[in-house]
Amino acid sequence: MRERLAALPWWVHVLLIYGASRLFSTVVLIAVSRRQIASPWGPASPSYEEFVNFWDSGWYQRIHDGGYPVELPRGDDGNVLENQWAFYPLFPAAVRLLSRATGTGWNPASAILATVFGFIAALLIYRIFRLRASAPDARWAVALVAFFPVSPILQIPYAESLHLMLLALALYLVMTERFLAALPVVVLMSLARPAGVPFAIGLGLLLLVGICGRGSVRSAGGLIRLGALAVTAGLAALAWPAAAWLMTGEPDAYVQTETAWRGSDLFLFAPWLHVATDLLGPLLGPLALVAVAGALAWLLLSPGGRTLGLPLQLWCVGYLLYLAAFWHPQTSTFRILLPLFPLALAAVLLSGSRAYRLLAVAGFGCLQIVWVAWLWAWLPLFGGGDYSP
C-alpha cells in the first residue's frame, strides 16, 4: 500500500492532503453549526450553506447581487457607515460568472468556487516549497498550511482562497524570475485583497538586495523587470481606492469605509501598542510585541527560514511591515496571517522528527475547532456584537 501511494504523482499527494484537511474542516463546521443559536444571518442550527455565509460572506453576497453604492452611507453624525467598498471585487465577480453560467445563484456557487481556489492554491504552494525543499518536507509544509487554525476560511465565501491562489502564483513566478509574467497576476491579486502594498514592499527590498550585488537577480535586465513588477504592484494597490473615488466622488471613500470598522481614524503602527497595552498593561504589552517580533525574526533567520530564499523571506517581511503599519489588531488578525504561509516550511524544517510534525498538524487541527467555535460561530456579547473571525 505504501509503495502504491509513493508511486502516485505529486499532485495526487497534494490533493489528498488538502482534501483530508477540507473534509476535517467540513466536519468541524457542521458540528459547530448544530449548536449555533439564531443569528443575524439565519435561524438556529443552520445548514452548512447557511453557516458558511456568516460574517463578511454577506457583504460579498451584497456585491454579487447589487454591486457597490455610488453614495457612501452615513450615520446621523455624518460619519461613513460600514459598506461594500471595504471588500474587493474579484471574488464576487468570479462567483457572478459561475452563478450565471450554472444558474445556481450565490449559494452554492460561492462556497464551491472558494473551495476550488483553495485546492489550486495548495498545488501552487507545493510547487513553491519544492523549489526550496525535498518532496517529503514540502508535503508536510502543505499539510501545515492546509490544517492551519483558520484554514476553514478557504472553503467559505471569502476572498481568502482566491487571494492565496494568486499570491502563491505570483511568488512562484518571482522565485523563478518570470517577472513580466507575474504582472497580470499581481494586478488581479490586488483586486482580490489589499495585497499590492506588502507585495511592492517585498519586491522593493528584493530589488535593493539585487542592486547591492546580493541575491540571484543581479543582471541589469533582471533588475529592470523586477523593478517594473514592483512599480506595478504599488500602482495596483491604488486601483481599488481610485475606483471608490471615481464611483462615489469622494477621494478618501475607501479609507473612510475601512475606518468605519475601526471606529477611529487611521494611525500608522499605533494600534498595536494601544491594543497590547490595553490587554496586558503598560509594561507587559510592549514586551509582548517585542517578543512576537523577535520570534518571527528568529524563525525567518533560522536554518529553515534561510532555506526559504530571499523572495519568500522578503515577502514575509513586507507583509509583516504592512500589518504593523496599517492593520488594527483584533480577532480577525488570525485570519489575516494566512498569507504568511511560507513560514510553514520554515516551521517544518525546524525538526526532521515525524512526531514533531504530526503533533504540529494535529495541534493546528485542534485549534481549527477553537477558531470555528469561538470566532466563526455567532454568540452575542453583553455589550452587543461579537468577536469577528
Side-chain angles (χ1 to χ4, degrees), residues 213-232:
R214 301 292 185 92
S216 59
V217 185
R218 301 184 188 180
S219 68
L223 291 173
I224 290 172
R225 291 189 291 273
L226 175 58
L229 182 59
V231 171
T232 299

Side-chain angles (χ1 to χ4, degrees), residues 170 173-174 176-187 221-222 224-230 232:
L173 292 172
V174 169
T176 54
E177 299 186 10
R178 287 179 274 183
F179 303 121
L180 297 183
L183 290 172
V185 180
V186 169
V187 172
I224 290 172
R225 291 189 291 273
L226 175 58
L229 182 59
T232 299

Side-chain angles (χ1 to χ4, degrees), residues 132-359:
R132 306 298 303 178
S134 67
D137 289 341
R139 287 195 293 267
W140 276 109
V142 168
L144 272 188
V145 176
F147 282 91
F148 192 62
V150 303
S151 65
I153 205 69
L154 298 176
Q155 64 193 78
I156 284 170
Y158 271 45
E160 261 67 12
S161 60
L162 172 60
H163 172 247
L164 187 65
M165 178 188 74
L166 293 170
L167 172 62
L169 178 56
L171 287 173
Y172 182 80
L173 292 172
V174 169
M175 292 176 71
T176 54
E177 299 186 10
R178 287 179 274 183
F179 303 121
L180 297 183
L183 290 172
V185 180
V186 169
V187 172
L188 288 174
M189 181 178 68
S190 299
L191 294 175
R193 293 277 304 159
V197 170
F199 206 78
I201 294 173
L203 292 177
L205 293 172
L206 188 62
L207 179 63
L208 182 61
V209 169
I211 292 173
C212 293
R214 301 292 185 92
S216 59
V217 185
R218 301 184 188 180
S219 68
L223 291 173
I224 290 172
R225 291 189 291 273
L226 175 58
L229 182 59
V231 171
T232 299
L235 293 175
L238 301 176
W240 190 238
W245 175 8
L246 291 173
M247 288 289 291
T248 64
E250 300 194 38
D252 58 347
Y254 175 74
V255 174
Q256 287 190 75
T257 298
E258 281 288 348
T259 55
W261 265 266
R262 305 184 184 198
S264 62
D265 292 333
L266 177 63
F267 294 101
L268 300 182
F269 298 103
W272 286 93
L273 182 60
H274 292 162
V275 171
T277 301
D278 289 342
L279 291 175
L280 301 174
L283 178 60
L284 289 180
L287 287 177
L289 290 178
V290 172
V292 170
L296 289 168
W298 171 81
L299 183 58
L300 281 170
L301 295 174
S302 68
R306 292 195 297 272
T307 300
L308 297 179
L310 278 176
L312 293 183
Q313 286 178 299
L314 294 178
W315 155 251
C316 291
V317 170
Y319 191 68
L320 288 167
L321 287 173
Y322 168 78
L323 292 183
F326 296 103
W327 181 250
H328 189 281
Q330 53 185 290
T331 48
S332 296
T333 302
F334 303 114
R335 170 172 58 88
I336 299 301
L337 297 178
L338 194 58
L340 292 171
F341 73 86
L343 296 180
L345 181 59
V348 161
L349 295 176
L350 288 176
S351 172
S353 166
R354 184 179 180 86
Y356 157 73
R357 295 176 177 186
L358 279 172
L359 184 61

